[in-house]
CSV table of all heavy atoms in Angstrom, one decimal:
chain,number,residue,atom,x,y,z
H,5,SER,N,-15.4,3.1,19.9
H,5,SER,CA,-14.0,2.9,20.3
H,5,SER,C,-13.4,4.3,20.6
H,5,SER,O,-13.7,5.3,20.0
H,5,SER,CB,-13.1,2.3,19.2
H,5,SER,OG,-11.8,2.2,19.6
H,6,GLU,N,-12.6,4.3,21.6
H,6,GLU,CA,-11.9,5.5,22.0
H,6,GLU,C,-10.8,5.8,21.0
H,6,GLU,O,-10.4,7.0,20.9
H,6,GLU,CB,-11.3,5.4,23.4
H,6,GLU,CG,-12.4,5.2,24.5
H,6,GLU,CD,-13.2,6.5,24.7
H,6,GLU,OE1,-12.6,7.6,24.7
H,6,GLU,OE2,-14.4,6.4,25.0
H,7,VAL,N,-10.2,4.8,20.4
H,7,VAL,CA,-9.1,4.9,19.5
H,7,VAL,C,-9.5,4.8,18.1
H,7,VAL,O,-10.2,3.8,17.7
H,7,VAL,CB,-8.0,3.9,19.9
H,7,VAL,CG1,-6.8,4.0,19.0
H,7,VAL,CG2,-7.6,4.0,21.3
H,8,ASP,N,-9.2,5.7,17.2
H,8,ASP,CA,-9.5,5.7,15.8
H,8,ASP,C,-8.3,4.9,15.1
H,8,ASP,O,-7.3,5.5,14.9
H,8,ASP,CB,-9.6,7.1,15.2
H,8,ASP,CG,-9.9,7.1,13.7
H,8,ASP,OD1,-10.3,6.0,13.2
H,8,ASP,OD2,-9.7,8.1,13.1
H,9,LEU,N,-8.6,3.7,14.8
H,9,LEU,CA,-7.6,2.9,14.1
H,9,LEU,C,-7.8,2.9,12.6
H,9,LEU,O,-6.8,2.9,11.8
H,9,LEU,CB,-7.7,1.4,14.5
H,9,LEU,CG,-7.4,1.1,16.0
H,9,LEU,CD1,-7.6,-0.3,16.3
H,9,LEU,CD2,-6.0,1.6,16.4
H,10,ALA,N,-9.0,3.1,12.1
H,10,ALA,CA,-9.3,3.1,10.7
H,10,ALA,C,-8.7,4.3,10.0
H,10,ALA,O,-8.1,4.2,8.9
H,10,ALA,CB,-10.8,3.0,10.4
H,11,GLY,N,-8.9,5.5,10.6
H,11,GLY,CA,-8.4,6.7,10.0
H,11,GLY,C,-6.9,6.7,9.6
H,11,GLY,O,-6.6,6.9,8.4
H,12,PRO,N,-6.0,6.5,10.5
H,12,PRO,CA,-4.6,6.5,10.2
H,12,PRO,C,-4.3,5.3,9.2
H,12,PRO,O,-3.4,5.5,8.3
H,12,PRO,CB,-3.9,6.3,11.5
H,12,PRO,CG,-4.9,6.7,12.5
H,12,PRO,CD,-6.2,6.4,12.0
H,13,THR,N,-4.9,4.2,9.3
H,13,THR,CA,-4.7,3.1,8.5
H,13,THR,C,-5.1,3.4,7.0
H,13,THR,O,-4.3,3.1,6.1
H,13,THR,CB,-5.5,1.8,8.9
H,13,THR,OG1,-5.1,1.5,10.3
H,13,THR,CG2,-5.2,0.6,8.1
H,14,LEU,N,-6.2,4.0,6.9
H,14,LEU,CA,-6.7,4.3,5.5
H,14,LEU,C,-5.8,5.4,4.9
H,14,LEU,O,-5.5,5.4,3.7
H,14,LEU,CB,-8.1,4.8,5.5
H,14,LEU,CG,-9.1,3.7,5.9
H,14,LEU,CD1,-10.5,4.3,6.0
H,14,LEU,CD2,-9.1,2.5,4.9
H,15,GLN,N,-5.3,6.4,5.7
H,15,GLN,CA,-4.4,7.4,5.2
H,15,GLN,C,-3.1,6.7,4.8
H,15,GLN,O,-2.5,7.1,3.7
H,15,GLN,CB,-4.1,8.4,6.3
H,15,GLN,CG,-5.3,9.3,6.6
H,15,GLN,CD,-5.0,10.2,7.8
H,15,GLN,OE1,-3.9,10.2,8.4
H,15,GLN,NE2,-6.0,10.9,8.3
H,16,SER,N,-2.6,5.8,5.5
H,16,SER,CA,-1.4,5.1,5.1
H,16,SER,C,-1.6,4.3,3.8
H,16,SER,O,-0.7,4.3,3.0
H,16,SER,CB,-0.9,4.1,6.2
H,16,SER,OG,-0.6,4.8,7.4
H,17,LEU,N,-2.7,3.6,3.7
H,17,LEU,CA,-3.0,2.9,2.5
H,17,LEU,C,-3.1,3.8,1.3
H,17,LEU,O,-2.5,3.5,0.2
H,17,LEU,CB,-4.3,2.1,2.6
H,17,LEU,CG,-4.7,1.3,1.4
H,17,LEU,CD1,-3.7,0.3,1.0
H,17,LEU,CD2,-6.1,0.6,1.7
H,18,LYS,N,-3.7,5.0,1.5
H,18,LYS,CA,-3.8,5.9,0.4
H,18,LYS,C,-2.4,6.4,0.0
H,18,LYS,O,-2.1,6.6,-1.2
H,18,LYS,CB,-4.7,7.1,0.8
H,18,LYS,CG,-4.9,8.1,-0.3
H,18,LYS,CD,-5.8,9.3,0.1
H,18,LYS,CE,-6.1,10.3,-1.0
H,18,LYS,NZ,-5.0,10.6,-1.9
H,19,ALA,N,-1.6,6.7,1.0
H,19,ALA,CA,-0.2,7.2,0.7
H,19,ALA,C,0.5,6.1,-0.1
H,19,ALA,O,1.3,6.5,-1.1
H,19,ALA,CB,0.5,7.5,2.0
H,20,LEU,N,0.3,4.9,0.3
H,20,LEU,CA,1.0,3.8,-0.4
H,20,LEU,C,0.5,3.7,-1.9
H,20,LEU,O,1.3,3.6,-2.8
H,20,LEU,CB,0.8,2.5,0.3
H,20,LEU,CG,1.4,1.2,-0.3
H,20,LEU,CD1,2.9,1.3,-0.2
H,20,LEU,CD2,0.8,0.0,0.4
H,21,LEU,N,-0.8,3.8,-2.1
H,21,LEU,CA,-1.3,3.7,-3.4
H,21,LEU,C,-1.0,4.9,-4.3
H,21,LEU,O,-0.9,4.8,-5.5
H,21,LEU,CB,-2.8,3.5,-3.3
H,21,LEU,CG,-3.3,2.2,-2.7
H,21,LEU,CD1,-4.8,2.1,-2.6
H,21,LEU,CD2,-2.8,1.0,-3.5
H,22,ASP,N,-0.9,6.1,-3.6
H,22,ASP,CA,-0.6,7.3,-4.4
H,22,ASP,C,0.9,7.3,-4.8
H,22,ASP,O,1.2,8.2,-5.7
H,22,ASP,CB,-0.9,8.5,-3.5
H,22,ASP,CG,-2.3,8.9,-3.4
H,22,ASP,OD1,-3.1,8.3,-4.2
H,22,ASP,OD2,-2.7,9.7,-2.5
H,23,ASN,N,1.7,6.5,-4.3
H,23,ASN,CA,3.2,6.5,-4.6
H,23,ASN,C,3.7,5.1,-4.9
H,23,ASN,O,4.5,4.5,-4.2
H,23,ASN,CB,3.9,7.1,-3.4
H,23,ASN,CG,3.6,8.5,-3.0
H,23,ASN,OD1,3.8,9.4,-3.8
H,23,ASN,ND2,3.0,8.7,-1.9
H,24,PRO,N,3.2,4.6,-6.1
H,24,PRO,CA,3.7,3.3,-6.5
H,24,PRO,C,5.2,3.4,-6.8
H,24,PRO,O,5.8,4.5,-7.0
H,24,PRO,CB,2.9,3.0,-7.8
H,24,PRO,CG,2.5,4.4,-8.3
H,24,PRO,CD,2.3,5.2,-7.1
H,25,PRO,N,5.9,2.3,-6.9
H,25,PRO,CA,7.3,2.3,-7.2
H,25,PRO,C,7.6,2.9,-8.5
H,25,PRO,O,6.9,2.7,-9.5
H,25,PRO,CB,7.7,0.8,-7.2
H,25,PRO,CG,6.4,0.0,-7.2
H,25,PRO,CD,5.3,0.9,-6.8
H,26,LYS,N,8.7,3.7,-8.5
H,26,LYS,CA,9.1,4.3,-9.8
H,26,LYS,C,9.8,3.4,-10.7
H,26,LYS,O,9.8,3.6,-11.9
H,26,LYS,CB,9.9,5.5,-9.5
H,26,LYS,CG,9.2,6.6,-8.7
H,26,LYS,CD,10.0,7.8,-8.4
H,26,LYS,CE,9.3,8.9,-7.7
H,26,LYS,NZ,8.2,8.6,-6.9
H,27,GLN,N,10.3,2.3,-10.1
H,27,GLN,CA,11.0,1.3,-11.0
H,27,GLN,C,10.0,0.5,-11.7
H,27,GLN,O,8.9,0.2,-11.2
H,27,GLN,CB,11.9,0.4,-10.1
H,27,GLN,CG,12.9,1.1,-9.3
H,27,GLN,CD,13.6,0.2,-8.3
H,27,GLN,OE1,13.1,-0.9,-8.0
H,27,GLN,NE2,14.6,0.6,-7.7
H,28,THR,N,10.3,0.2,-12.9
H,28,THR,CA,9.3,-0.6,-13.7
H,28,THR,C,9.7,-2.1,-13.8
H,28,THR,O,9.2,-2.8,-14.7
H,28,THR,CB,9.1,0.0,-15.1
H,28,THR,OG1,10.4,0.1,-15.8
H,28,THR,CG2,8.5,1.4,-15.1
H,29,GLU,N,10.7,-2.5,-13.0
H,29,GLU,CA,11.1,-3.9,-13.0
H,29,GLU,C,9.9,-4.8,-12.6
H,29,GLU,O,9.2,-4.5,-11.7
H,29,GLU,CB,12.3,-4.1,-12.1
H,29,GLU,CG,13.5,-3.3,-12.5
H,29,GLU,CD,14.6,-3.5,-11.4
H,29,GLU,OE1,14.6,-4.5,-10.7
H,29,GLU,OE2,15.5,-2.6,-11.4
H,30,ALA,N,9.8,-5.9,-13.3
H,30,ALA,CA,8.7,-6.8,-13.1
H,30,ALA,C,8.7,-7.3,-11.6
H,30,ALA,O,7.6,-7.4,-11.0
H,30,ALA,CB,8.8,-8.0,-14.0
H,31,GLN,N,9.8,-7.6,-11.1
H,31,GLN,CA,9.9,-8.1,-9.7
H,31,GLN,C,9.4,-7.0,-8.7
H,31,GLN,O,8.6,-7.3,-7.8
H,31,GLN,CB,11.3,-8.5,-9.3
H,31,GLN,CG,11.4,-9.1,-7.9
H,31,GLN,CD,12.8,-9.5,-7.6
H,31,GLN,OE1,13.7,-9.3,-8.4
H,31,GLN,NE2,13.0,-10.1,-6.4
H,32,THR,N,9.8,-5.8,-8.9
H,32,THR,CA,9.4,-4.7,-8.0
H,32,THR,C,7.8,-4.5,-8.1
H,32,THR,O,7.2,-4.3,-7.1
H,32,THR,CB,10.1,-3.4,-8.4
H,32,THR,OG1,11.5,-3.6,-8.3
H,32,THR,CG2,9.7,-2.2,-7.5
H,33,LEU,N,7.3,-4.5,-9.3
H,33,LEU,CA,5.9,-4.3,-9.5
H,33,LEU,C,5.1,-5.5,-8.9
H,33,LEU,O,4.0,-5.3,-8.3
H,33,LEU,CB,5.5,-4.1,-11.0
H,33,LEU,CG,6.1,-2.8,-11.6
H,33,LEU,CD1,5.8,-2.8,-13.1
H,33,LEU,CD2,5.5,-1.6,-10.9
H,34,ALA,N,5.6,-6.7,-9.0
H,34,ALA,CA,5.0,-7.9,-8.5
H,34,ALA,C,5.0,-7.8,-6.9
H,34,ALA,O,4.0,-8.1,-6.3
H,34,ALA,CB,5.7,-9.1,-8.9
H,35,GLN,N,6.1,-7.3,-6.3
H,35,GLN,CA,6.1,-7.2,-4.9
H,35,GLN,C,5.1,-6.1,-4.4
H,35,GLN,O,4.4,-6.3,-3.4
H,35,GLN,CB,7.5,-6.8,-4.4
H,35,GLN,CG,8.5,-7.9,-4.5
H,35,GLN,CD,9.9,-7.4,-4.2
H,35,GLN,OE1,10.3,-6.2,-4.3
H,35,GLN,NE2,10.8,-8.4,-3.9
H,36,TYR,N,5.0,-5.0,-5.1
H,36,TYR,CA,4.1,-4.0,-4.8
H,36,TYR,C,2.6,-4.5,-4.9
H,36,TYR,O,1.8,-4.2,-4.0
H,36,TYR,CB,4.3,-2.8,-5.7
H,36,TYR,CG,3.3,-1.6,-5.5
H,36,TYR,CD1,3.5,-0.8,-4.4
H,36,TYR,CD2,2.3,-1.4,-6.4
H,36,TYR,CE1,2.6,0.3,-4.3
H,36,TYR,CE2,1.4,-0.3,-6.2
H,36,TYR,CZ,1.6,0.5,-5.2
H,36,TYR,OH,0.7,1.6,-5.0
H,37,SER,N,2.4,-5.2,-6.0
H,37,SER,CA,1.0,-5.8,-6.2
H,37,SER,C,0.7,-6.7,-5.0
H,37,SER,O,-0.4,-6.7,-4.5
H,37,SER,CB,1.0,-6.5,-7.5
H,37,SER,OG,-0.3,-7.1,-7.7
H,38,ARG,N,1.6,-7.6,-4.6
H,38,ARG,CA,1.4,-8.5,-3.5
H,38,ARG,C,1.2,-7.8,-2.2
H,38,ARG,O,0.3,-8.2,-1.4
H,38,ARG,CB,2.5,-9.5,-3.4
H,38,ARG,CG,2.5,-10.6,-4.4
H,38,ARG,CD,3.4,-11.8,-4.1
H,38,ARG,NE,4.8,-11.3,-3.8
H,38,ARG,CZ,5.8,-11.2,-4.7
H,38,ARG,NH1,5.5,-11.5,-6.0
H,38,ARG,NH2,7.0,-10.8,-4.3
H,39,LEU,N,1.9,-6.7,-2.0
H,39,LEU,CA,1.7,-5.9,-0.8
H,39,LEU,C,0.3,-5.3,-0.7
H,39,LEU,O,-0.3,-5.4,0.3
H,39,LEU,CB,2.8,-4.8,-0.8
H,39,LEU,CG,2.6,-3.7,0.4
H,39,LEU,CD1,2.9,-4.4,1.7
H,39,LEU,CD2,3.6,-2.6,0.1
H,40,VAL,N,-0.1,-4.7,-1.8
H,40,VAL,CA,-1.4,-4.1,-1.8
H,40,VAL,C,-2.5,-5.2,-1.6
H,40,VAL,O,-3.4,-5.0,-0.8
H,40,VAL,CB,-1.7,-3.3,-3.1
H,40,VAL,CG1,-3.1,-2.8,-3.2
H,40,VAL,CG2,-0.7,-2.1,-3.1
H,41,HIS,N,-2.4,-6.3,-2.3
H,41,HIS,CA,-3.3,-7.4,-2.2
H,41,HIS,C,-3.4,-7.9,-0.8
H,41,HIS,O,-4.4,-8.1,-0.2
H,41,HIS,CB,-3.0,-8.5,-3.2
H,41,HIS,CG,-3.9,-9.6,-3.2
H,41,HIS,ND1,-3.8,-10.7,-2.4
H,41,HIS,CD2,-5.1,-9.8,-3.8
H,41,HIS,CE1,-4.8,-11.5,-2.6
H,41,HIS,NE2,-5.6,-11.0,-3.4
H,42,GLY,N,-2.2,-8.1,-0.1
H,42,GLY,CA,-2.1,-8.5,1.2
H,42,GLY,C,-2.8,-7.6,2.2
H,42,GLY,O,-3.5,-8.0,3.1
H,43,LEU,N,-2.6,-6.3,2.0
H,43,LEU,CA,-3.2,-5.3,2.9
H,43,LEU,C,-4.8,-5.4,2.8
H,43,LEU,O,-5.5,-5.3,3.8
H,43,LEU,CB,-2.7,-3.9,2.6
H,43,LEU,CG,-1.3,-3.6,3.1
H,43,LEU,CD1,-0.8,-2.3,2.5
H,43,LEU,CD2,-1.2,-3.6,4.6
H,44,LEU,N,-5.2,-5.4,1.6
H,44,LEU,CA,-6.7,-5.4,1.4
H,44,LEU,C,-7.3,-6.7,1.9
H,44,LEU,O,-8.4,-6.7,2.5
H,44,LEU,CB,-7.0,-5.2,-0.1
H,44,LEU,CG,-6.7,-3.8,-0.7
H,44,LEU,CD1,-6.9,-3.8,-2.2
H,44,LEU,CD2,-7.5,-2.8,0.0
H,45,SER,N,-6.6,-7.8,1.7
H,45,SER,CA,-7.1,-9.1,2.2
H,45,SER,C,-7.1,-9.1,3.7
H,45,SER,O,-8.1,-9.6,4.3
H,45,SER,CB,-6.1,-10.3,1.8
H,45,SER,OG,-6.2,-10.4,0.4
């Protein structure tokens, strides 16, 4: 491929995983967990 799609996508995923929500509310953590699960799926 002429266009590298995986590189920027993986960098974005890493940035997301490196910066989890600072709030410890159950709803916020559940949303974050669903977001990560959805991206990996």
